[in-house]
Amino acid sequence: MLDLTSNSVDLTRAICDIPSVSGDEGHLADLIEEAVRALPHLEVIRDGDTIIARTNLGRARRVAIAGHIDTVPINRNVPTRTVDIDGEEFIWGRGTVDMKAGVAVQLKLAADLVAPKADITWIWYDHEEVAAALNALTRIAATRTDLLAADFAILGEPSNGQVEGGCNGHMRAIIRTHGVRSHSARSWIGENAIHKAAPILERLASYTAREVPVDGLVYREGLNAVRITGGVAGNVIPDLCEVEVNYRFAPSRSGAEAEAHVREVFEGFEVEVIDMAEGARPGLDDPLAQEFVAAVGGTAQPKYGWTDVARFSALGIPAVNYGPGDPQLAHHDEERVAVAQIRDVERGLRAWLT
């Protein structure tokens, strides 16, 4: 069982020690559901392995606070442990940064905040770390949009305990070259598809990524090869080569514009888009967002990675990222979160909501 009377640091270790790699979140979802169903002030709804718990106090405003419960694959970094680095205490292990520390804070506050100043919809959802089509929020937005309804949304994505507005868009595409197979002893008879990929790599190596101001924040783009495949056998000239590219684009650009840009960069090659997620503008001009930033302190920063703030933005709900953990350590084998950040984020959210 999850003990929601314990502190958020202990809760972080407890839920990180429950493996929940994408596709295997069911057990953790069961435990979260069991814990929040015991709280009489919350209405609890389960959709697949997503748990939604909400207050219904008739407040003038509703805030959605969400966090995903899945992680990338474990690599000898579970169970968690406490480590000391230069006198600062950290919890080390898979999911501590991305993003179970944020989920732990949310679970603690969901239990404690019986009468918050705004109604709250707590959302703990599955399949965030995989293709966008599998993301539970995709399903819920299509089938139960009412469950996501809010005036403002906060994603517990790691942000070093600072508010990060919006997010870059994300696209993956396959760039293909074709050739003709032949025996490598008579290579002149064939056409080597791998050799034909050289101009693709040259274009990527010489590509200058943009820095784009959007509503007061500057987003950095990136276009990079992330995988290359080709080859038949050690003595065969290959007839196919595929270069997978990842494009992170500023939220001022639509998905269609991003695709057009990639096709322009790789003009003359076959291009297939295999995954796409729109970005989200910062939304910091919204009064609720401004109130939140002022309450938790600091200066808002841009979110370079893609997060599910984009899903709320697409529904017309301004959303920000706010959670403990250094984003640069997300998915890292040395993933670890500062205990002080967990406590600071809990204090910030608690102060704003009470």
Side-chain angles (χ1 to χ4, degrees):
M1 294 179 63
L2 293 178
D3 180 7
L4 300 190
T5 66
S6 64
N7 61 62
S8 55
V9 174
D10 289 342
L11 271 174
T12 297
R13 291 202 64 172
I15 63 176
C16 286
D17 286 342
I18 301 167
S20 57
V21 175
S22 302
D24 191 28
E25 303 96 323
H27 180 49
L28 179 55
D30 291 343
L31 294 175
I32 290 173
E33 180 183 16
E34 179 183 21
V36 296
R37 281 199 186 278
L39 304 172
H41 63 282
L42 294 176
E43 174 194 12
V44 179
I45 301 138
R46 181 160 182 165
D47 187 306
D49 285 332
T50 292
I51 311 301
I52 297 170
R54 58 189 183 184
T55 63
N56 292 298
L57 301 170
R59 302 292 197 243
R61 304 179 298 182
R62 178 171 290 277
V63 177
I65 302 179
H68 64 82
I69 63 173
D70 61 321
T71 71
V72 296
I74 294 167
N75 188 21
R76 301 184 301 278
N77 46 9
V78 166
T80 56
R81 65 175 189 259
T82 301
V83 298
D84 184 284
I85 300 176
D86 297 328
E88 186 171 9
E89 187 179 9
F90 290 81
I91 300 173
W92 174 97
R94 175 63 76 230
T96 52
V97 171
D98 194 8
M99 56 163 288
K100 289 183 176 178
V103 169
V105 167
Q106 294 168 5
L107 286 168
K108 178 60 179 173
L109 293 177
D112 287 358
L113 300 183
V114 176
K117 68 179 182 181
D119 271 312
I120 307 173
T121 300
W122 304 98
I123 305 167
W124 300 291
Y125 62 102
D126 57 287
H127 283 89
E128 190 272 349
E129 296 289 7
V130 286
L134 298 175
N135 188 307
L137 293 186
T138 303
R139 178 183 71 251
I140 294 170
T143 60
R144 291 293 309 273
T145 310
D146 59 298
L147 296 178
L148 304 182
D151 300 294
F152 181 57
I154 301 167
L155 269 290
E157 289 284 352
S159 63
N160 265 324
Q162 301 294 316
V163 176
E164 292 185 334
C167 67
N168 274 334
H170 162 70
M171 188 181 83
R172 290 187 299 129
I174 301 293
I175 319 300
R176 291 191 181 89
T177 59
H178 298 274
V180 177
R181 289 191 195 186
S182 73
H183 196 296
S184 60
R186 300 171 182 82
S187 58
W188 58 89
I189 296 174
E191 294 179 15
N192 194 312
I194 293 178
H195 292 181
K196 290 184 177 182
I200 297 173
L201 301 180
E202 289 170 357
R203 293 182 196 185
L204 286 165
S206 62
Y207 183 84
T208 301
R210 302 189 309 163
E211 295 189 4
V212 187
V214 182
D215 299 341
L217 300 181
V218 178
Y219 291 83
R220 296 182 64 178
E221 295 191 330
L223 181 64
N224 293 280
V226 292
R227 185 179 290 112
I228 184 166
T229 58
V232 180
N235 59 354
V236 177
I237 299 302
D239 61 344
L240 176 66
C241 183
E242 295 182 331
V243 180
E244 182 178 335
V245 299
N246 179 292
Y247 181 36
R248 302 286 176 154
F249 55 95
S252 56
R253 207 167 229 171
S254 69
E257 290 170 334
E259 179 176 348
H261 176 67
V262 169
R263 291 187 181 279
E264 180 183 11
V265 170
F266 298 108
E267 184 178 1
F269 291 96
E270 178 184 333
V271 177
E272 179 189 1
V273 175
I274 59 172
D275 192 24
M276 169 78 77
E278 299 270 358
R281 300 183 78 92
L284 295 175
D285 53 347
D286 184 272
L288 267 177
Q290 293 174 356
E291 178 187 312
F292 175 67
V293 173
V296 301
T299 302
Q301 302 294 323
K303 188 68 169 179
Y304 296 132
W306 185 90
T307 76
D308 281 308
V309 294
R311 301 192 187 282
F312 287 97
S313 179
L315 296 172
I317 302 168
V320 298
N321 305 280
Y322 179 65
D326 182 349
Q328 295 189 75
L329 291 174
H331 304 183
H332 197 287
D333 286 344
E334 295 298 324
E335 187 173 354
R336 60 188 182 272
V337 62
V339 167
Q341 275 194 9
I342 298 174
R343 292 173 176 153
D344 286 346
V345 167
E346 180 185 336
R347 277 194 293 267
L349 283 169
R350 190 185 293 273
W352 185 62
L353 290 167
T354 56

